Amino acid sequence: MASILKVDKIRGTGLDSDTITFDGSGNITIPKNITFSGTVSGGAGYKLLGRSTWSSGVSVVAFTDIIDSTVTNIMIKGSVRYTDGQNSITLMYLTTSGGSTAGTGGSGLAVYQGEWYNRAASATVNGDVRNGNFQYLRIPDNTNMYGGTIHTFTIEINDVRAGRTQGTTNLSGTPKHYGGLFHHQAQSTDASDWSGGNGWFKMVNANNDLATITGVRFNPSNSNYQAGEIAVYGLATS
């Protein structure tokens, strides 16, 4: 039989005259919103690392030094509105300690990415690629989104803090790399309806000497984000 514990007051504050229910299987029901003032621990899994919301123009949204040694992979959820009349896409950078963006060249990053996408009024699937171009991920790769549109996206990055190396294949050396997937949706400038796409990417540090990645940064390719929200979640090992 499930046991029920009635609590009139905990340490003199909160939950007055509410009931905490234990169902006998380790589940606890508290019929009231709770604000935690301490650190909740006791298991691995995705946790919120950082969240930013805004309602007026910003040119950069940065999450500095949020990825610690317990985090392996991250997942990003974004919803941004571009400046009216200013067609744009979103650029994502990896950052090192203090918020410095990873540079280009052998000691920085070269970004490889591929994308396939279509629109609601056409079943035709299109694609674009980047072969080591730029130091940042482009979402979408090669199609501007209308100014004023709301652009939603999800990005997942594996081995984000320390990167991953591999043995020599048909590529020379043992480059450090950061791989991931993304998908997004908005109204693109090549159609009057709605478009969406999915893609993959690999960010490669050819000299295998890039400093530890501790954050991410976002900005529109043109003008500002007028409103939006971006949240970063980390897969913690402890």
Side-chain angles (χ1 to χ4, degrees):
M1 178 181 297
S3 60
I4 297 178
L5 171 65
K6 293 197 67 177
V7 180
D8 290 328
K9 189 173 291 186
I10 296 178
R11 292 191 177 180
T13 61
L15 294 181
D16 293 349
S17 302
D18 285 312
T19 302
I20 300 177
T21 303
F22 297 81
D23 67 1
S25 299
N27 299 313
I28 303 173
T29 299
I30 304 176
K32 189 172 183 178
N33 294 331
I34 304 298
T35 299
F36 292 97
S37 59
T39 299
V40 180
S41 60
Y46 276 102
K47 61 182 180 180
L48 181 64
L49 303 180
R51 176 175 175 264
S52 180
T53 63
W54 63 95
S55 58
S56 59
V58 297
S59 60
V60 173
V61 180
F63 296 89
T64 302
D65 296 336
I66 63 169
I67 303 169
D68 64 25
S69 59
T70 69
V71 174
T72 56
N73 302 353
I74 63 172
M75 179 171 61
I76 299 151
K77 296 283 190 179
S79 178
V80 299
R81 181 169 67 82
Y82 299 119
T83 301
D84 292 355
Q86 301 293 320
N87 302 334
S88 189
I89 63 174
T90 282
L91 309 179
M92 185 198 74
Y93 298 77
L94 301 185
T95 61
T96 56
S97 179
S100 298
T101 57
T104 58
S107 293
L109 290 176
V111 178
Y112 300 77
Q113 69 176 98
E115 180 187 8
W116 48 100
Y117 57 91
N118 63 0
R119 61 190 183 92
S122 173
T124 301
V125 177
N126 300 290
D128 288 305
V129 295
R130 295 282 166 177
N131 188 22
N133 304 95
F134 309 119
Q135 69 189 100
Y136 46 76
L137 176 68
R138 295 166 56 91
I139 303 179
D141 175 61
N142 199 32
T143 303
N144 274 335
M145 296 301 176
Y146 272 116
T149 193
I150 295 175
H151 192 186
T152 60
F153 52 84
T154 299
I155 307 167
E156 298 181 57
I157 311 176
N158 301 318
D159 307 307
V160 66
R161 181 174 167 87
R164 178 76 67 175
T165 58
Q166 64 187 43
T168 301
T169 58
N170 61 324
L171 300 176
S172 60
T174 55
K176 183 186 294 187
H177 52 88
Y178 315 80
L181 302 170
F182 64 91
H183 60 264
H184 68 95
Q185 179 275 322
Q187 186 182 8
S188 71
T189 57
D190 63 358
S192 59
D193 57 329
W194 296 90
S195 298
N198 297 275
W200 62 269
F201 62 93
K202 186 74 74 174
M203 296 178 157
V204 177
N205 169 222
N207 293 346
N208 194 12
D209 59 356
L210 186 62
T212 299
I213 300 300
T214 60
V216 287
R217 195 193 89 173
F218 301 86
N219 62 262
S221 61
N222 191 24
S223 192
N224 294 322
Y225 292 133
Q226 286 304 305
E229 174 181 3
I230 299 176
V232 183
Y233 301 86
L235 181 61
T237 58
S238 61

